[in-house]
Amino acid sequence: KNQVEQSPQSLIILEGKNCTLQCNYTVSPFSNLRWYKQDTGRGPVSLTIMTFSENTKSNGRYTATLDADTKQSSLHITASQLSDSASYICVVTPRGSTLGRLYFGRGTQLTVWP
Amino acid sequence: DGGITQSPKYLFRKEGQNVTLSCEQNLNHDAMYWYRQDPGQGLRLIYYSQIVNDFQKGDIAEGYSVSREKKESFPLTVTSAQKNPTAFYLCASSIDGAPNQPQHFGDGTRLSIL
């Protein structure tokens, strides 16, 4: 069973609308949780990082929240733009992680229509 | 500009052939990683390296080999033993592999079988 589950698998919204992507994880204990944006045919780019003691982090129109008690995170995108069309990946680092050990979600594919 | 360069962007392999994917970084990072990305799946770790002349197997190392002769270079060889090599391959690096350090990704190499 994947330890990081994302929903929805795909999402279509109109330009200018807001949306929220979900990430549920079972990795425990964990060190941090990141959200990455991956454009088609490109490598992922880090959007936000939160440690287990943080519950919100913003990066422009992107706001990530974290509830360590329920093991849930969300990424809220405000006033979407066409350039937001991409896959958004939730990544959890276990506490005490050996080098390279990360748990990746399968991503949510977001499409923004004009 | 500093970053990670992967080449080629697209690569085709014949049956029974070994191919090598290039990954170069000028970020002066100690740690480097290779991931495989398949449609609808999260990234899976193939190999990682913390320092020159040292590397460790990840979750799916069978059929792959790496070398780390220089700090800035971490080439991946897909051998003929890898029976299902068609995928998108991503190289990443981080400062020292610590959990709080982000991994920076290249733009990937898409490998296909002829």
Side-chain angles (χ1 to χ4, degrees), chain B residues 24-72:
Chain B
E24 302 279 332
Q25 54 99 358
N26 60 5
L27 299 167
N28 199 33
H29 285 176
D30 285 318
M32 297 188 74
Y33 313 82
W34 273 105
Y35 293 94
R36 170 177 171 145
Q37 188 174 36
D38 294 282
Q41 294 201 32
L43 274 67
R44 291 184 289 169
L45 183 65
I46 304 173
Y47 269 98
Y48 59 95
S49 167
Q50 187 173 13
I51 56 174
V52 174
N53 292 323
D54 183 66
F55 46 83
Q56 304 295 327
K57 292 181 178 180
D59 297 325
I60 56 167
E62 185 176 352
Y64 301 97
S65 65
V66 294
S67 63
R68 187 85 187 275
E69 298 177 359
K70 298 185 298 182
K71 185 176 183 178
E72 59 270 22

Side-chain angles (χ1 to χ4, degrees), chain A residues 25 30-33 50-56 66 68 95:
Chain A
Y25 61 92
F30 80 99
S31 174
N32 59 65
L33 185 148
M50 291 178 291
T51 65
F52 62 89
S53 60
E54 296 177 296
N55 54 27
T56 188
L66 174 64
R95 193 178 305 170

Side-chain angles (χ1 to χ4, degrees), chain A residues 32 38 41-43 99 101, chain B residues 9 37 48 50 59 97 99 107:
Chain A
N32 59 65
Q38 184 177 20
R42 304 292 297 275
L99 181 66
R101 173 55 59 221
Chain B
K9 182 70 173 177
Q37 188 174 36
Y48 59 95
Q50 187 173 13
D59 297 325
D107 279 338

